[in-house]
């Protein structure tokens, strides 16, 4: 569907962003979507090469996108002078379009986890760290992974992170096992942004015991044990790795910000990233709806004397999907706008709401699209099953729904005292009004 900026945010989108939105849409529709299947076909089927090569078409797309200025669109000028300078809301609109295609984000150097890692380095890295790692990432020369989750720790509570970090003079020694390290299987992945638990100077504050360190992927002692599968997809060449660290030694200068500052860093990393995931998911939902509408109007697939789209249930699915997509978009743009007007911390509630609602809703839209395709919908002939699998993981990745709901519920519940006070004041005034109008009893309503 040609891109339309929602009416409610029209005045928040600059002329420059509008121009980019048009260019991005054109590039995604004419270059990336057609390249998606080529990309899949070029992922090596040869087991010994599957994780040692990557599809050459992505380099061609990157070259073309960069030549058109469609590069690093996610990075704000606040933290890096070379940032594209779009607001979170503007980039959110762009991310939606990128989400229509499997290759769109990477083609424009806007894919996770690199975007979040680049933001960490831009925001918290020192000059030497930026030079060594941020610059090649911004240049699209290397890729990166974010290593927080651990196989042997319930990682939705980040206080459980247990990769041991010991400081010996000018050296940091790391031991532990990470898993679900997205991108760590990619042969271009050169650096891991890694959350660790400090063994020296342990603070009594549970939120000051973790540190973030930069680990070159080729450091001795690191073994990428295996790629984990997402509903059977290995997501090669990117992959989600289990990675073992045994006495991995890195310079102390690879510590980001300082010992015990890990929570601060991961909290700063996750806010805008969640908005990007949400908007890309909405792009996937739009694509799913497109597929559904195309399929149910295929004149060669009539049932019981009608086009499938002429059955009432199917029309309802189309309408429901449109409502679901448009309401999700407003929720995410509201969160993005709040980040722009304040910061990610001020928008925690809005970000959490979007993070919870969007994947659930998009899963439902994609599920309807799959159902409308019959058996075709769940096989490799359409991108729907793969999209569904990818979006389903978002209910777990970046923290499971339940944790966000628990936090939201706790904060919402803090209103109890204020609500009771307001109700008491209303009750007092009601009693006064009853006396004034000589009303007896309370059964008037
Ligand atoms: C496709 C994919 C990609 C990922 N990529 C990365 C990555 O690049 N880097 C990285 O570090 N991690 C990554 N992850 C890991 C992800 O962030 C973690 O899986 C997530 O944070 C949950 O941690 P856990 O798996 O240890 O679940 P656990 O902590 O073991 O939790 C299990 C379940 O317990 C329940 N639960 C937990 N707390 C509560 C609560 N307060 N109330 C109610 N129920 C609760 C939830 O249902 C939760 O799903 C990825 C995951 C997936 C699926």
């Amino acid at each position: 569907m040609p891109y339309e900026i929602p009416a409610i945010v029209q005045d928040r989108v600059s002329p420059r962003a509008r121009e980019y939105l048009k260019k991005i849409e054109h590039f995604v529709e004419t270059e990336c979507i057609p390249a998606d299947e080529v990309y899949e076909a070029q992922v090596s089927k040869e087991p010994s090469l599957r994780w040692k090569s990557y599809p050459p078409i992505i380099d061609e797309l990157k070259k073309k996108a960069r030549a058109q200025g469609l590069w690093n669109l996610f990075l704000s000028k606040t933290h890096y002078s070379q940032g594209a300078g779009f607001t979170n809301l503007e980039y959110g609109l762009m991310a939606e379009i990128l989400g229509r295609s499997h290759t769109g984000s990477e083609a424009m150097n806007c894919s996770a986890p690199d975007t979040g890692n680049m933001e960490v380095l831009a925001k918290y890295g020192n000059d030497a760290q930026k030079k060594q790692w941020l610059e090649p990432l911004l240049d699209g020369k290397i890729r990166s992974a974010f290593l927080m989750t651990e196989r042997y720790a319930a990682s939705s509570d980040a206080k459980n992170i247990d990769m041991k970090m010991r400081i010996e003079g000018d050296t940091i020694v790391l031991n532990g096992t990470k898993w679900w390290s997205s991108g760590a299987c990619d042969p271009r992945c050169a650096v891991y942004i890694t959350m660790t638990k400090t063994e020296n100077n342990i603070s009594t504050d549970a939120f000051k015991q973790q540190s973030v360190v930069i680990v070159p992927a080729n450091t001795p002692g690191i073994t990428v044990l295996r790629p984990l599968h997402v509903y059977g997809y290995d997501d090669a060449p990117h992959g989600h790795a289990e990675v073992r660290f045994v006495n991995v030694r890195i310079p102390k200068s690879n510590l980001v910000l300082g010992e015990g500052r890990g929570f601060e860093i991961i909290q700063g990393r996750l806010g805008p990233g969640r908005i990007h995931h949400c908007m890309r998911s909405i792009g996937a939902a739009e694509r799913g709806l497109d597929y559904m509408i195309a399929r149910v109007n295929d004149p060669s697939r009539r049932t019981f004397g009608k086009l499938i789209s002429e059955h009432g249930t199917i029309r309802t699915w189309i309408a429901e999907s449109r409502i679901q997509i448009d309401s999700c978009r407003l929720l995410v743009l509201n969160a993005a706008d709040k980040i722009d007007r304040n910061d990610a911390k001020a928008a925690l509630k809005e970000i959490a709401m979007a993070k919870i609602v969007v994947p659930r809703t998009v899963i439902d839209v994609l599920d309807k699209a799959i159902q409308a395709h019959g058996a075709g919908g769940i096989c490799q002939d359409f991108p729907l099953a793969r999209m569904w699998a990818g979006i389903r993981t978002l209910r777990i990745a970046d923290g499971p729904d339940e944790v966000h709901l628990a936090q939201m519920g706790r904060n919402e519940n803090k209103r109890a005292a204020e609500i009771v006070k307001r109700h008491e004041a209303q009750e007092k005034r009601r009693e006064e009004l009853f006396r004034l109008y000589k009303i007896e009893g309370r059964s008037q309503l």
Side-chain angles (χ1 to χ4, degrees):
M1 186 169 84
Y3 196 72
E4 208 180 297
I5 299 169
I8 200 163
V9 297
Q10 285 280 351
D11 63 350
R12 313 270 308 146
V13 185
S14 67
R16 179 169 163 261
R18 285 166 195 270
E19 195 190 309
Y20 268 78
L21 281 163
K22 274 200 198 120
K23 276 165 68 170
I24 293 166
E25 180 173 37
H26 186 256
F27 194 80
V28 167
E29 290 287 325
T30 60
E31 299 283 354
C32 300
I33 292 177
D36 282 353
E37 276 196 51
V38 180
Y39 180 97
E40 285 306 320
Q42 288 181 344
V43 175
S44 180
K45 310 288 175 290
E46 168 62 44
S48 64
L49 291 176
R50 194 158 174 85
W51 303 101
K52 292 204 164 71
S53 59
Y54 64 93
I57 192 152
I58 198 69
D59 281 342
E60 290 170 40
L61 288 171
K62 282 164 89 166
K63 216 195 268 175
K64 282 188 195 165
R66 199 169 187 174
Q68 294 185 31
L70 304 177
W71 196 252
N72 291 334
L73 304 163
F74 66 97
L75 198 59
S76 74
K77 282 213 193 298
T78 323
H79 302 298
Y80 206 75
S81 60
Q82 289 162 16
F86 295 112
T87 61
N88 282 286
L89 186 140
E90 289 169 338
Y91 178 64
L93 296 168
M94 294 170 191
E96 176 183 340
I97 303 173
L98 297 181
R100 293 183 197 172
S101 156
H102 188 60
T103 52
S105 297
E106 192 180 344
M108 299 183 206
N109 213 35
C110 290
S111 50
D114 295 335
T115 45
N117 290 339
M118 287 189 262
E119 276 166 346
V120 164
L121 291 165
K123 206 165 161 186
Y124 304 107
N126 59 33
D127 287 346
Q129 291 166 345
K130 285 183 189 169
K131 176 125 201 72
Q132 190 175 1
W133 301 111
L134 179 58
E135 288 185 8
L137 279 166
L138 284 169
D139 216 15
K141 293 246 157 57
I142 59 168
R143 297 212 59 190
S144 62
F146 178 67
L147 277 60
M148 184 162 112
T149 305
E150 295 180 4
R151 181 162 182 199
Y152 304 106
S155 305
S156 49
D157 180 351
K159 298 194 292 309
N160 291 334
I161 295 305
D162 197 38
M163 170 170 275
K164 303 281 184 284
M165 176 184 109
R166 196 174 63 247
I167 298 180
E168 293 179 359
D170 285 342
T171 303
I172 289 174
V173 186
L174 302 169
N175 282 287
T177 304
K178 296 286 183 182
W179 76 341
W180 289 100
S181 310
S182 299
C185 299
D186 191 309
R188 296 161 296 174
C189 182
V191 63
Y192 304 151
I193 305 294
T194 308
M195 180 89 153
T196 64
K197 178 154 186 172
T198 179
E199 284 193 333
N200 314 64
N201 308 320
I202 293 187
S203 165
T204 46
D205 182 341
F207 293 95
K208 295 206 169 129
Q209 297 176 358
Q210 264 76 24
S211 307
V212 166
V213 289
I214 302 170
V215 186
N218 60 3
T219 313
I222 295 177
T223 312
V224 174
L225 295 171
R226 57 174 178 151
L228 300 157
H229 292 183
V230 170
Y231 293 103
Y233 298 100
D234 66 5
D235 290 346
H238 188 63
H240 311 281
E242 181 172 343
V243 191
R244 190 171 58 207
F245 286 54
V246 179
N247 292 324
V248 171
R249 301 175 81 84
I250 55 167
K252 192 177 168 198
S253 55
N254 284 21
L255 192 58
V256 183
L257 215 53
E259 224 180 325
R261 310 279 299 267
F263 264 91
E264 204 178 315
I265 296 170
I266 59 158
Q267 270 157 8
R269 181 185 188 278
L270 290 178
R274 287 181 181 143
I275 298 290
H276 305 167
H277 273 319
C278 286
M279 288 305 280
R280 280 193 293 261
S281 313
I282 291 171
E286 283 287 7
R287 186 114 189 267
L289 179 57
D290 279 1
Y291 267 95
M292 171 153 69
I293 295 172
R295 177 75 165 192
V296 298
N297 284 289
D298 180 345
S300 72
R301 303 192 64 86
R302 298 171 74 86
T303 60
F304 305 97
K306 292 178 181 178
L307 282 175
I308 294 180
S309 65
E310 287 166 348
H311 295 290
T313 311
I314 307 291
R315 287 270 165 97
T316 305
W317 288 355
I318 293 173
E320 281 173 349
S321 301
R322 171 51 55 218
I323 295 165
Q324 288 172 304
I325 293 172
D326 286 7
S327 13
C328 278
R329 184 182 293 111
L330 293 182
L331 202 58
V332 189
L333 293 178
N334 179 50
D337 192 40
K338 188 135 186 209
I339 301 178
D340 289 333
R341 288 174 195 262
N342 304 277
D343 58 18
K345 212 168 166 192
L348 279 183
K349 183 180 77 178
E350 288 74 13
I351 295 170
M353 284 197 287
K355 155 88 175 94
I356 294 159
V357 173
V358 174
R360 293 176 177 205
T361 313
V362 172
I363 288 166
D364 191 45
V365 171
L366 290 175
D367 195 60
K368 290 196 275 265
I370 289 169
Q371 189 74 10
H373 280 68
I378 55 173
C379 78
Q380 70 273 36
D381 285 1
F382 298 92
L384 299 168
R386 190 189 179 137
M387 282 175 1
W388 185 96
I391 305 288
R392 176 63 184 84
T393 69
L394 298 181
R395 292 196 54 204
I396 298 170
D398 281 354
D401 283 4
E402 294 71 27
V403 173
H404 296 283
L405 284 164
Q407 202 173 25
M408 266 191 77
R410 196 181 57 223
N411 288 338
E412 195 68 16
N413 200 43
K414 284 182 187 156
R415 299 197 304 112
E418 178 272 326
I419 292 171
V420 170
K421 211 164 139 200
R422 199 153 30 89
H423 284 181
E424 281 170 357
Q426 287 163 357
E427 183 62 8
K428 204 166 147 214
R429 179 66 183 142
R430 182 196 61 76
E431 281 170 6
E432 283 167 11
L433 290 171
F434 267 39
R435 276 195 297 276
L436 182 68
Y437 293 106
K438 301 186 176 29
I439 300 171
E440 295 287 335
R442 293 208 60 181
S443 56
Q444 309 302 322
L445 295 180

